[in-house]
Amino acid sequence: MNRVKGFEKVGAYLIPKKEAGEYKRQRKLARKLAIQAMEGFCYRAHTAFNGGEDGEAVVGLDKKGELQALIHLDPDGVDAILEAHQQGRLTELLQEV
């Protein structure tokens, strides 16, 4: 892995070192919230694509294993999950994505 001064690689994304600790905490919470929300409308929810080019994502599957929902745990996805959770519309967001 190429190192970039002042940044830390978290998943597939470079995060400024000063923000990396908080981002990791937010990402962990977002992962948990997304899985819990998807379990309400999907047969199975789990993380996938860790180490992939687009980075880790939370996916929801139906009984046949078909994809029903997906959201990447990139900085934008994490922010969207946390914001939607605060607004009480996380399930709605995940069903749209």
Side-chain angles (χ1 to χ4, degrees):
M1 173 181 92
N2 293 335
R3 297 196 180 263
V4 178
K5 187 174 183 175
F7 288 84
E8 180 176 334
K9 189 168 185 180
V10 180
Y13 303 94
L14 292 174
I15 306 297
K17 282 190 179 188
K18 291 180 180 180
E19 300 170 17
E22 180 62 21
Y23 174 70
K24 288 177 191 178
R25 286 186 288 281
Q26 290 178 342
R27 189 171 186 252
K28 183 177 180 178
L29 176 59
R31 179 187 303 112
K32 177 182 172 185
L33 292 170
I35 289 172
Q36 288 174 343
M38 283 185 194
E39 286 174 339
F41 65 92
C42 296
Y43 180 73
R44 181 165 184 244
H46 62 94
T47 57
F49 312 121
N50 196 10
E53 185 176 324
D54 291 331
E56 185 178 18
V58 176
V59 297
L61 308 173
D62 65 12
K63 287 185 179 183
K64 295 179 182 179
E66 297 290 323
L67 188 65
Q68 298 298 300
L70 178 146
I71 190 161
H72 283 279
L73 294 174
D74 61 7
D76 291 337
V78 168
D79 287 345
I81 292 166
L82 297 177
E83 182 179 325
H85 174 70
Q86 286 180 334
Q87 296 173 350
R89 57 177 201 83
L90 180 55
T91 298
E92 180 184 333
L93 168 76
L94 297 172
Q95 288 175 328
E96 293 173 355
V97 192

